[in-house]
Amino acid sequence: MVETYGLDQERIYYVDEAVKGTTPNNPTCFSVPHESLDPGVDVGNILLRAGGNFDVVAIKRGLRNPALKVTYPLPSAAPINLLQYAKRDLDKTLSVQVLYYKGAFVTATDILSLLYTYMRVNKATVSCDIDDVVKATLEMIGQNMATGTAKIAGATYTDYTGAVSFNESAVTIAGATDDRVVGWKFDIVNNARQIPVIRGANGYLAKYVTNGQRSLGGEVKFEFENKAEMEAMLADTAQTLTFGLGGAVLATFTGAKWSNVHHEKLLDDLIAVRAQFDATGLTIA
């Protein structure tokens, strides 16, 4: 009997799909050093009721909805290798494998595999605070998920390591580095959705997983030294905001406008400014 699995016996790997919904042959898979991982699937059971019965009379299979959420520090070895799949211009889907195992990974035994296919990033949140590292949370949805007891045949598994500290990041506003920042985060919401059709074969699986209209925004937290954000918001000023993600990698939001600015407590007796923004464009490179 196999003992229960612990967090040290759990890994996540991903590879982009040349054909959407199909895991490549002999793939080169990459991992991130995740802090939390929440894989799951909802089969959308249809509950049928009828007169003369107080209980459900039948349960039919509905639309399968594979979903996965992972939080991880951006690895300094490749800060955006996974995050880049939140980019709309890339338009790539992923096969994602979650592995549980015993022993050393290279000679793992008692493997349990969850293999997700046709996965898209529905929402990505990236954040950074003082005395912490830059972290990302990705929420994905897909078309299908299959269980197994082995690694992918012929696959190569590569682990990205390292992290990006808060002192390796910077925030640039309208072309100038702002030295008042004490925290920041941004959201990329792709509004990904499943597109089902009525069909005889595999009708319980979505035919496509597509992105909807995108929303871009976030917030920056400053120590309170001036009223610049309040004035820019009241003046309806559009600016470019740039966030450092490690090395020369940047997330650049264009057409950004402050949408909400308020003051709050910082530490024990200081005041901070929390400024939320919306943006019209984004590049990550």
Side-chain angles (χ1 to χ4, degrees):
M1 178 178 174
V2 178
E3 295 179 345
T4 186
Y5 294 84
L7 293 178
D8 59 316
Q9 299 162 327
E10 171 189 63
R11 296 196 185 192
I12 178 174
Y13 289 91
Y14 59 93
V15 61
D16 62 55
E17 299 172 336
V19 178
K20 291 180 172 62
T22 301
T23 303
N25 293 326
N26 305 316
T28 299
C29 302
F30 300 97
S31 78
V32 289
H34 68 278
E35 288 188 353
S36 66
L37 181 59
D38 181 12
V41 61
D42 183 345
V43 296
N45 283 342
I46 302 169
L47 307 182
L48 303 179
R49 297 186 179 274
N53 294 275
F54 51 77
D55 286 327
V56 170
V57 298
I59 302 175
K60 303 297 289 184
R61 179 163 58 181
L63 179 65
R64 183 174 296 177
N65 181 19
L68 182 149
K69 181 177 181 179
V70 59
T71 297
Y72 65 98
L74 297 189
S76 54
I80 61 169
N81 191 271
L82 178 55
L83 180 62
Q84 67 177 328
Y85 293 101
K87 296 164 57 174
R88 292 293 294 274
D89 53 322
L90 194 61
D91 191 31
K92 288 280 191 176
T93 59
L94 296 172
S95 288
V96 180
Q97 187 178 37
V98 177
L99 288 168
Y100 303 93
Y101 61 95
K102 295 294 182 179
F105 184 74
V106 292
T107 56
T109 61
D110 301 300
I111 293 173
L112 301 178
S113 165
L114 306 178
L115 180 58
Y116 293 80
T117 49
Y118 209 148
M119 296 290 280
R120 287 191 184 275
V121 177
N122 179 43
K123 180 181 179 181
T125 299
V126 183
S127 63
C128 182
D129 291 296
I130 297 294
D131 285 336
D132 206 345
V133 296
V134 181
K135 299 178 182 179
T137 297
L138 302 187
E139 299 175 27
M140 305 182 195
I141 66 169
Q143 180 192 56
N144 201 7
M145 187 272 279
T147 62
T149 55
K151 300 175 183 178
I152 300 170
T156 300
Y157 291 91
T158 299
D159 302 311
Y160 283 128
T161 58
V164 179
S165 174
F166 75 99
N167 52 37
E168 298 173 284
S169 175
V171 177
T172 299
I173 301 176
T177 300
D178 196 302
D179 62 1
R180 299 175 299 129
V181 175
V182 295
W184 57 263
K185 77 169 186 175
F186 62 78
D187 297 315
I188 306 168
V189 183
N190 287 323
N191 288 305
R193 60 191 184 275
Q194 295 178 311
I195 308 296
V197 298
I198 297 173
R199 52 181 174 168
N202 299 327
Y204 56 91
L205 299 179
K207 185 176 182 181
Y208 307 110
V209 181
T210 65
N211 287 316
Q213 291 188 317
R214 185 172 67 175
S215 297
L216 300 171
E219 66 178 36
V220 183
K221 190 173 181 180
F222 306 87
E223 58 172 340
F224 184 38
E225 295 182 7
N226 57 53
K227 57 186 185 302
E229 293 73 40
M230 194 75 75
E231 290 180 334
M233 181 180 66
L234 294 175
D236 194 34
T237 301
Q239 305 174 97
T240 296
L241 305 182
T242 300
F243 300 89
L245 302 181
V249 181
L250 302 173
T252 302
F253 289 82
T254 54
K257 293 185 178 182
W258 302 120
S259 59
N260 184 301
V261 178
H262 61 271
H263 296 166
E264 63 184 27
K265 182 179 179 181
L266 172 65
L267 302 177
D268 293 329
D269 55 0
L270 298 177
I271 298 173
V273 179
R274 186 184 296 272
Q276 299 173 341
F277 69 89
D278 300 305
T280 60
L282 168 67
T283 58
I284 299 177

